[in-house]
Each structure stands twice: as C-alpha cells, then as structure tokens.
Amino acid sequence: MFFSKFFKKDYQQLKEKGDAHFSAGRFADARLCYLDALDKVDTAVNPDGERAFLAERLSQAGNRLAEMNIHEAEAALRGGEVRKGHDHLALALELADDVTIREKAETLLKKQPGESPTARHHHQKSSAHGGHGCSSCSSSHGDGVADLTPDLPDHMERDEQFRLLVNTLPGNLPQRYESLGEKFATAYLLAHSNDLQSALALYRELLSSGENDILLCEIALLEYRLGIGGRCESLLKRALSLDGSNPLVHLGLAQYYIDSRRFAESVPVLQGMIEGEILHDQAQLMLGDVYAMMGNPDAAIDIYTKGLQLPALKKVSAERLVQLLTAQNRTEEAAYLFKTYLKGCC
C-alpha cells in the first residue's frame, strides 16, 4: 500500500508525495502523483515553472518504468512467453520518452514472431509528447492511488501483477513483501484495485496469526483511508518497534504527523531518517517543507541549500529556495538560483 491516497491532496502535497516516491524509486506512484498535481498546478506560485518540472519528472518516471518493462519482456521472451513479452514491450513504448529506450523496445518487438503492437503504441506515445496524458493511466489516476494493476494486460498472471507493484518499493521490501504469501498478495492487489474493505479483512486475518511490521503498516494506512478509528499512529509505532529499518513505516509516520499538522513531532522522525540513511533524500526535502510550514524559513533555507548538493534534489531544492527567497524580497539571490539551476527547465 503506497501513500498516494493517504493524505489530503492540494497541489503542493501531491507534488511532495510525487517527489518522495520518485526519490525512493517508486516511479509508478510518482507518475500518478505528478499527473494529479498537473490538474492543480494553477494554484502554484509559479505555474509555468511547476509545469516544466512536472513534465520533466513524468518523462523520467516513464523512462524508468519502461526500462523495468523491457527487463521483464526480455525474461519472458527468453522463457518462450512471446505474448507476455510483447505486452511488456508495448507498455514500455507507451511509457518511454527516451529515444534509446523506445528503439530498444521496438527492436525487440521486430525480432519476435507474431503480431506486433509497435505502430499502435508508437502513435499513442507520439501524441502524448509535450503533455502529461497517456493511455495507460489517464483514466485511472484521478485519486493519485498507485493503481497500476488496471494498466497491466488483462491476462497477466496475478503473481506477476503483484511482483511488478512491489518491485517499486525501496530496499529489501520487494523480497519481504513477496515472502508473505498468496493471501497477502491477494490483499495487496485488492488494495490497489480500491477494494479497501476486502483488503483490510484479509490483512486482519493474517495479523491474527502473528504481527509483523509490514502488515501493521498496511493496516494503518488502509484504516486511515477508510476513516476507521484513530489507530494509525499507534500501529505505525508498533511496526517501528518490530522493525526499525522499514522505510515505509518511517515515511508513513512522518507524513501522518505532517497531515495532522503536528509538524514539531515530524521533525525528529525526519531527522532520524536522514541520520539513518533511510530514504535520505525525500526525508531531507520533507524536513525543509516542514520547517517552511512551521514558519521557520531560515531553517528551511538551510535544508534546501544542502539539497542543492544532492543530484536527485538539486532542482526541486532550488525551486523551493527561489520561492522562499522571493517571499523575503531577496530577489538577487533568487534570480541567481533560478539562472543557475532552473533556467534550463522553465
């Protein structure tokens, strides 16, 4: 269960969630958050700059997802599963902007026997260049949930759907999620298909046989989405006590505090993530945002300035700095940062 529907969804929150997912390598989630953010980008301080940033991130996320699908296609084709390989390659063509990636997918398709969907997907992708829509997600991203399952071919095996979803998780979580068995995988797919009550019932069944941090985290987030009780914080803390290395639990607790406007309580969680190298980049960006929301622009500027040294955060940190410095009438500094870090994408 990702965090895409976990919290309120104004433009800034959607963008921040997208940035966090992107930094964690969860590109399907990031892509859907950025698509939702585009729908609300007119509320941003600098809409044109924000559109350019989102378009770039969408392109990058699409390319990474396309590479994943090419990898899966190559494995399927080696095993003689031609149709399955074709489906992965067709999805790669829908997602990729990078010419090299697209050419690789097209080359693989041409080498295989059977009807090739290359031309159809080429035209669909070409029509999407310069915009943010694509046929694989434009009808299903409305609430920002990482609902990748409907985007996959209808005949794809359920275990393959599950594996593609969890492969976007950070660290060793893909292996840990896969080790939890068939019932857990079924619940996970139900949650991503928005059948939340059925997913929650299965998770609770599994929990009755024994606690683990993953189940507690998934239940906490599902209950929050369903508005059931107030156990989110306690469940996440219990999950941390069972396994303090689970990055999604740390991220969930920090975001829960932020959504509840308990900003001061989110600070030590985020600082602990940074010190422990747990989703370091997105934790640092979130900490800067928290300081800004707390009315401490100097602390926020210090955090964002550090972000300029990190490749994954350079542009978004510069963007935040430009906004803060402009608000403080420090226009020369803002102009320098804009010219140095943002001019090429604005």
Side-chain angles (χ1 to χ4, degrees):
M1 233 313 287
F2 302 123
F3 301 143
S4 301
K5 269 191 173 178
F6 191 49
F7 301 106
K8 292 176 284 187
K9 302 182 236 1
D10 63 22
Y11 170 75
Q12 192 63 29
Q13 288 167 326
L14 286 166
K15 182 184 169 188
E16 288 166 5
K17 289 177 206 172
D19 291 341
H21 293 320
F22 189 93
S23 296
R26 289 150 49 194
F27 299 108
D29 272 8
R31 191 164 172 268
L32 294 174
C33 284
Y34 289 140
L35 286 168
D36 282 337
L38 274 170
D39 291 336
K40 302 184 179 183
V41 72
D42 289 336
T43 64
V45 174
N46 176 15
D48 291 338
E50 296 293 303
R51 287 190 188 91
F53 169 80
L54 294 173
E56 181 180 4
R57 280 297 177 92
L58 282 164
S59 176
Q60 292 171 348
N63 288 335
R64 294 299 298 272
L65 288 169
E67 288 173 335
M68 290 171 58
N69 274 279
I70 289 174
H71 177 77
E72 294 294 332
E74 289 173 330
L77 294 171
R78 284 195 298 269
E81 299 177 276
V82 175
R83 183 177 178 184
K84 186 176 184 180
H86 276 194
D87 288 328
H88 278 294
L89 292 171
L91 189 54
L93 285 169
E94 279 194 7
L95 292 165
D97 277 331
D98 185 274
V99 173
T100 302
I101 297 172
R102 293 176 58 76
E103 286 179 350
K104 183 174 182 180
E106 289 170 344
T107 299
L108 285 170
L109 275 170
K110 289 174 184 176
K111 288 181 179 179
Q112 305 305 317
E115 183 179 356
S116 169
T118 306
R120 175 171 60 88
H121 286 282
H122 175 77
H123 291 308
Q124 287 176 340
K125 185 63 188 176
S126 296
S127 67
H129 285 175
H132 68 274
C134 83
S135 61
S136 66
C137 64
S138 59
S139 64
S140 63
H141 82 274
D143 291 317
V145 67
D147 202 3
L148 188 58
T149 306
D151 301 343
L152 302 174
D154 291 340
H155 64 274
M156 183 174 284
E157 297 294 334
R158 287 170 59 82
D159 62 344
E160 184 73 5
Q161 296 179 31
F162 175 68
R163 190 157 64 88
L164 283 175
L165 283 171
V166 300
N167 274 346
T168 64
L169 294 170
N172 68 344
L173 287 181
Q175 294 79 16
R176 292 192 63 208
Y177 272 59
E178 288 182 38
S179 73
L180 293 178
E182 184 176 345
K183 185 178 286 188
F184 177 85
T186 299
Y188 196 78
L189 289 172
L190 286 169
H192 281 272
S193 299
N194 284 328
D195 190 349
L196 306 187
Q197 293 285 2
S198 297
L200 184 58
L202 284 177
Y203 283 146
R204 285 174 171 169
E205 269 186 54
L206 289 166
L207 190 66
S208 67
S209 300
E211 286 187 337
N212 69 65
D213 56 299
I214 291 174
L215 273 175
L216 290 168
C217 182
E218 297 297 333
I219 290 171
L221 302 183
L222 272 186
E223 288 189 355
Y224 191 97
R225 286 174 62 182
L226 289 165
I228 299 172
R231 298 198 306 160
C232 182
E233 180 180 4
S234 62
L235 288 170
L236 290 172
K237 285 184 173 180
R238 174 61 181 159
L240 278 181
S241 73
L242 293 175
D243 189 334
S245 68
N246 187 326
L248 296 190
V249 180
H250 286 273
L251 184 63
L253 186 60
Q255 191 68 68
Y256 172 79
Y257 287 141
I258 293 169
D259 184 59
S260 304
R261 305 193 67 79
R262 294 160 61 182
F263 300 128
E265 291 173 84
S266 73
V267 170
V269 178
L270 293 168
Q271 288 175 335
M273 292 173 67
I274 293 168
E275 292 166 6
E277 294 293 327
I278 299 170
L279 301 180
H280 176 281
D281 288 1
Q282 63 266 37
Q284 182 161 313
L285 183 65
M286 289 170 69
L287 182 58
D289 293 343
V290 165
Y291 282 134
M293 289 184 284
M294 291 173 70
N296 190 347
D298 291 339
I301 287 171
D302 180 61
I303 294 295
Y304 295 144
T305 300
K306 293 176 182 176
L308 295 176
Q309 309 305 314
L310 301 172
L313 295 185
K314 184 180 295 184
K315 287 183 179 178
V316 68
S317 295
E319 181 185 73
R320 302 282 209 279
L321 282 167
V322 167
Q323 294 175 1
L324 280 176
L325 293 170
T326 300
Q328 294 183 341
N329 292 319
R330 296 163 64 176
T331 54
E332 289 186 9
E333 294 167 88
Y336 170 79
L337 287 169
F338 183 86
K339 181 179 179 180
T340 304
Y341 295 99
L342 301 175
K343 188 175 181 181
C345 66
C346 295

